[in-house]
Amino acid sequence: MPENVRTVEQLHVILERDKNKIYQRINEVEDKHDTNYADLKLILTTFIETQKPLSKMVESIDNELKKLNSNVTDITRRVDKVEGKVTAHDEVLEKRSNANTTIIVAVIGSITTFGSAALGFSQIFFK
């Protein structure tokens, strides 16, 4: 007990005053928390509202990427078809080249044969 208290009534008055101070402090803290909660709620609401355009933008980007993926897939298919055709043309050209080489060798051989025969016959006829 404090020393300046002489009666129970004085002690009761001091107790009530201290209780009032405690309740006043509790109310101050509670008001501070209510204010902070209201501020936080406002900030959160504002943040959510600012994110809505971002969501629409992400959705738009997603749609564009889907279109791009479809286009790339189509291009890949076309390139595969063209590659197959080019390979087929290369094979045909290689076969023709081999055939042309064979024909050229045959023509040169026949010219050589006929040339030799002509020289042989010319010696017989022009002797």
Side-chain angles (χ1 to χ4, degrees):
M1 274 211 301
E3 293 188 22
N4 57 359
V5 176
R6 299 205 174 148
T7 63
V8 174
E9 253 184 69
Q10 288 177 343
L11 183 62
H12 187 60
V13 169
I14 292 172
L15 180 65
E16 286 299 318
R17 186 188 69 209
D18 289 344
K19 277 177 31 179
N20 284 338
K21 286 182 181 178
I22 289 172
Y23 287 132
Q24 183 182 1
R25 179 68 180 144
I26 289 172
N27 286 338
E28 288 173 3
V29 170
E30 191 174 89
D31 288 343
K32 178 182 163 190
H33 285 209
D34 287 344
T35 303
N36 287 342
Y37 176 75
D39 291 346
L40 181 63
K41 189 173 180 181
L42 177 65
I43 289 170
L44 186 60
T45 303
T46 305
F47 177 75
I48 289 171
E49 289 299 318
T50 60
Q51 297 307 308
K52 285 183 181 178
L54 182 64
S55 173
K56 290 178 183 176
M57 188 183 307
V58 168
E59 212 172 283
S60 173
I61 290 171
D62 184 47
N63 290 336
E64 290 299 319
L65 285 176
K66 285 179 183 176
K67 289 178 187 175
L68 179 65
N69 188 27
S70 174
N71 289 342
V72 168
T73 303
D74 290 344
I75 290 170
T76 303
R77 286 183 189 140
R78 289 179 185 170
V79 166
D80 288 344
K81 286 180 183 178
V82 168
E83 185 179 5
K85 288 180 180 179
V86 167
T87 303
H89 286 297
D90 283 346
E91 290 173 0
V92 168
L93 288 175
E94 187 176 330
K95 288 178 183 177
R96 283 187 182 174
S97 173
N98 290 339
N100 287 344
T101 304
T102 305
I103 290 171
I104 290 172
V105 167
V107 167
I108 291 173
S110 61
I111 289 173
T112 306
T113 304
F114 288 128
S116 299
L119 285 175
F121 282 126
S122 66
Q123 286 178 1
I124 294 173
F125 289 119
F126 296 109
K127 232 181 187 186

